[in-house]
């Protein structure tokens, strides 16, 4: 039998911790004097109580460490349970959302997706804006820790190639997960503060700078304005572009940089490929918008840069409605979102290292077709890659595409158009945020969708955030039988 | 050095043979007395001459058998060269097509794609209608032979699992390719005649029955009417549905059936999965159209049946404009086309056996995640499947999706909308025919597309027909160096 108590214990603690973080928006509302603070007092009380009681109830079953199956369940249930509590302020607060909308907004926050159902964000009390930022910020650091500590050990979707690495380069000195997590947290906090300062200098208010810094470093994409970055000063677009890129790089490289080996950063094959792709796409898109929309103006380059970086890193801010840039841009943004950033960062979607390994797999196949009896030793980043890793990555890609197809069909059943369904499925599963078309495109939001569509998208966000195979594993009968 | 002469010799012979088949539409125009026959005399003369001269020029280099690289080149060049000659009647004939349009129509015919640029097909001379039918019919038998004889040996996209089989079950008696090809041709001709008879009984004229039988058994989809099957008698819809399904089953099973082992047909795991999926999708679509469009009428079931079978087998006929059936139907038809029929038939796209093996691969991965040190022996159709086959199938899927993405972006660059680009790429690469949307959907055709878009789609048809990896292999530098 699978003992759920150790899982419940940790989840209870995390729920209670989420409740404690609600004191920040409480304080923020108090300072702003908008009279909205009791919402967060109530939400915090309920959340801390629920989390604390769960932990207490499970405390008698706590053991040293978790089994692999318990780790799986924990990972999924954390992201499944926290949104129920994260939703409370949206439901009882000034935004007055339904349960479905509140859950969607919280799931979208904690998975760093950034798809919103809120309109008139400008007019919301400070506390709610801060709460959106905090959820994405927590979701961001949470997923880095999961990606660094759990996924490599769970051998999910090729993440095992980072196992040896994380523990080799840091491991001899820092063998323990908590040590990794704390070092990375320092980087995470440092980047957030640097980003906030830069936003502030670029012309944002201190409050906006802080919140947008949190949702930038989390590649989350929640903004304090319905129009996202469209009406913010041009300088902030450049600041955002720089920090979105920084947030999409593997955080372990920053740890190494601080530890005195900065060359680790530019010797990383994944980082080099990411920069090559993002540069190419920015150049192509700049040319396209110059020819079609902005004839050779700085504005054209800036919007191409900002939106390409935003979608490729899975942040999801918008500085312009690129649905108006013609069919090539629309189509390109769909695929850019499916590329994604680097593993070990807050970025999501399929990710650059997987494409590198997928192309290696295809090359291996083509060579086998040439020379059926030849031996090939594929390499990644200078090191040999096992067949096992290549298979794992291919299986991830197949699962991602098939699951995306199923969610697309599901969304179309709720009545959404083909373009909303397919881009919504991609935007949720890839934790990108905006989709295509008028409804959920860069100028729209998710409010108009039906409740069933919102639940489908919430499920897709969770499945995508946990690299698809984690959830699929839990859904197999064998998982529960073993 | 790669000796191209043996390849040129065979291609020359095939071109000349194509020229000889032009005598059939010549005769047809003569009989109809429409004065259009000189077109085919001219085209046949040019084609036979060009083919004959090529063969003669290469005759001094003919060797026993072909190397693997020569086989690759032959396969690609056959489908690359024949459309140039197949286009001639469309260019100099009554349809008066441009070179681009003529090539597109011929490539679409010979790859059994069935995407057409022709309007007013009703009014075309008999010879041109017959020529469209003949090209698809030849393309259909051609691809079965390639899939049975060449692809398993070339180990492309998992086709190697059919190697042992084809040669085991038939091989001890019939070890040679020509023998396999001739047995299958008999089945192919027999099915075509049976289909023509059934169409005739169901109410088609003898001429229509023959041509639609040819394009049905080839799962090609060229029809003699702009409205495809929409205005043909309902009985023909049922006849077409039955024969499209029969044409999408592995032809080797029919050979075995004729040889006295009919049980081979229903014991085939691929066939069972194909029937399970097609039945499920027909039921689902029938329910959907009953609820939304046809309230419980026979008509609703018939159109659901016909169009689902047409798209899943990659035939591409239409009996109704399913763009009007709501978003779910539109979305579903996109994905149905990506399923496809059975390997070893005229059907195209990703194909059912690959999905079976892809799901096996994902199951293997999930089991490995559970039990990192366990051993798993995946099976297909009761027999063990090697890791090699699973990798090959996954690499095929990845290549198919990535190439489809590239063609989608390419089409969007020519100015086509997102839905036209993505569905056009799928319809061409999957050799399905109709796409989605108003331009190239079931009620439209490909005439309005720009020339660059037509060349992109022609390339996609060729790449898709040859299982993607064949063309990718030829495009590698290593292929030419070795
Ligand atoms: K995001
Ligand atoms: K077709």
């Amino acid at each position: 039998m699978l003992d759920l108590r150790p899982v419940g214990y940790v989840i209870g603690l995390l729920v209670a911790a989420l409740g404690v973080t609600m004191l920040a928006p409480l304080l923020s509302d108090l300072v702003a004097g908008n009279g909205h603070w009791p919402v967060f007092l109530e939400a915090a009380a309920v959340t801390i109580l629920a989390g604390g009681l769960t932990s207490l109830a499970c405390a008698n079953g706590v053991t040293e460490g978790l089994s692999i199956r318990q780790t799986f369940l924990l990972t999924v249930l954390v992201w499944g349970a926290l949104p129920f509590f994260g939703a409370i302020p949206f439901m009882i607060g000034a935004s007055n959302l339904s349960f479905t909308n509140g859950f969607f907004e919280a799931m979208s926050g904690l998975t760093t997706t950034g798809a919103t159902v809120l309109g008139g964000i400008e007019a919301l009390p400070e506390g709610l804006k801060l709460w959106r930022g905090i959820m994405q910020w927590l979701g961001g650091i949470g997923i880095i820790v999961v990606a660094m500590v759990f996924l490599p050990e769970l051998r999910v979707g090729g993440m095992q190639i980072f196992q040896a690495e994380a523990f080799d380069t840091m491991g001899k000195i820092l063998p323990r997960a908590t040590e990794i997590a704390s070092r990375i947290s320092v980087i995470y906090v440092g980047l957030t503060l640097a980003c906030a300062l830069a936003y502030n200098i670029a012309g944002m208010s201190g409050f906006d700078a802080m919140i947008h810094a949190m949702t930038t470093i989390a590649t989350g994409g929640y903004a304090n304005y319905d129009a996202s970055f469209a009406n913010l000063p041009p300088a902030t677009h450049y600041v955002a572009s720089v920090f979105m890129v920084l947030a999409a790089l593997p955080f372990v490289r920053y740890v190494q940089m601080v530890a005195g080996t900065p060359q680790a950063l530019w010797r990383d094959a994944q980082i080099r490929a990411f920069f090559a792709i993002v540069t190419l796409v920015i150049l192509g898109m700049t040319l396209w918008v110059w020819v079609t929309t902005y004839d050779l103006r700085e504005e054209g380059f800036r919007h191409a840069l900002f939106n390409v970086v935003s979608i490729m890193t899975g942040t999801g801010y918008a500085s312009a409605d690129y649905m108006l840039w013609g069919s090539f841009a629309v189509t390109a943004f769909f695929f850019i979102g499916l590329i994604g950033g680097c593993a070990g960062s807050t970025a999501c979607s399929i990710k650059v290292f997987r494409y590198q390994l997928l192309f290696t797999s295809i090359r291996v196949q083509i060579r086998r077709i040439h020379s059926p009896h030849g031996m090939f030793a594929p390499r990644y980043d200078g090191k040999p890659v096992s067949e096992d890793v290549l298979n794992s990555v291919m299986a991830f890609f197949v699962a991602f595409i098939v699951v995306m197809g199923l969610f697309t069909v599901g969304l179309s059943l709720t009545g959404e158009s083909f373009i909303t369904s397919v881009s919504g499925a991609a935007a949720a599963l890839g934790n990108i945020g905006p989709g295509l078309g008028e409804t959920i495109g860069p100028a729209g939001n998710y409010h108009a969708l039906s409740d069933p569509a919102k639940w489908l998208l919430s499920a897709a966000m969770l499945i995508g955030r946990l690299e698809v195979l984690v959830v699929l594993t839990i859904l197999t009968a064998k998982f529960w039988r073993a």
Side-chain angles (χ1 to χ4, degrees), chain A residues 112-114 219-220 314-315 431-432:
Chain A
T112 79
T113 304
T219 64
T315 307
N431 302 120
I432 302 158

Side-chain angles (χ1 to χ4, degrees), chain A residues 153-177:
Chain A
E153 265 192 275
L154 300 181
R155 302 156 55 89
V156 167
M159 296 293 278
Q160 55 266 42
I161 59 165
F162 299 113
Q163 182 174 30
E165 187 188 29
F167 286 85
D168 273 5
T169 51
M170 313 179 23
K172 277 148 206 162
I173 330 152
L174 325 158
R176 280 167 43 249

Side-chain angles (χ1 to χ4, degrees), chain A residues 156-390:
Chain A
V156 167
M159 296 293 278
Q160 55 266 42
I161 59 165
F162 299 113
Q163 182 174 30
E165 187 188 29
F167 286 85
D168 273 5
T169 51
M170 313 179 23
K172 277 148 206 162
I173 330 152
L174 325 158
R176 280 167 43 249
T178 47
E179 185 68 27
I180 300 180
S182 80
R183 288 237 181 171
I184 280 176
S185 301
V186 171
I187 304 286
Y188 195 71
V189 171
L191 273 176
T192 308
L193 292 175
C195 181
L197 186 66
Y199 276 142
N200 193 224
I201 294 170
M204 274 189 205
S205 73
F207 182 75
D208 277 3
M210 197 59 224
I211 289 174
H212 289 122
M214 287 197 280
T215 62
T216 301
I217 301 303
T219 64
Y222 274 159
N224 281 349
Y225 302 90
D226 287 355
S228 194
F229 269 56
N231 302 323
L232 290 171
T236 65
H237 297 170
Y238 289 106
V239 171
S241 302
V242 169
F243 281 94
M244 288 190 281
V245 166
L246 291 178
L249 303 184
F251 275 62
V252 64
R253 299 286 169 241
Y254 297 126
V255 174
Q256 291 174 301
M257 201 168 76
V258 169
T261 49
Q263 62 275 22
L265 197 66
W266 55 84
R267 283 200 189 138
D268 185 324
Q270 189 184 199
I271 294 180
R272 283 150 76 158
F274 174 74
F275 272 103
I277 298 170
V278 84
T279 307
L280 209 74
V281 178
I282 290 166
L283 288 180
M285 190 61 76
T286 302
L287 277 178
W288 177 259
V289 297
W290 274 348
V291 170
T292 58
T293 321
Y294 289 102
D295 35 46
L296 276 174
R297 293 203 305 275
E298 173 271 344
E299 200 187 350
F301 166 70
R302 178 161 45 85
H303 289 316
L305 167 77
F306 181 94
N307 294 286
V308 165
V309 167
S310 168
I311 298 302
M312 187 160 154
T313 60
T315 307
Y317 293 140
S319 69
D321 184 2
Y322 48 73
M323 289 304 296
L324 308 175
W325 293 355
S327 169
F328 165 68
V330 172
T331 307
F333 276 109
F334 179 77
F335 290 104
I336 294 167
L338 292 180
I339 299 176
C342 299
S345 75
T346 59
C348 6
S349 195
I350 293 171
K351 300 194 182 74
V352 167
F353 86 97
R354 291 216 176 85
Y355 284 99
Q356 294 177 288
L357 291 171
L358 288 173
F359 291 136
T360 303
S361 301
I362 292 178
R363 265 204 306 277
V364 168
Q365 281 305 315
I366 288 180
R367 283 207 199 161
R368 286 231 171 96
I369 291 172
H370 279 235
S371 343
H373 306 294
M375 288 295 292
F376 316 103
R379 302 175 78 79
Y380 176 71
D381 207 0
K383 289 178 282 280
V385 190
S386 71
E387 192 102 333
D388 182 44
V389 169
L390 294 181

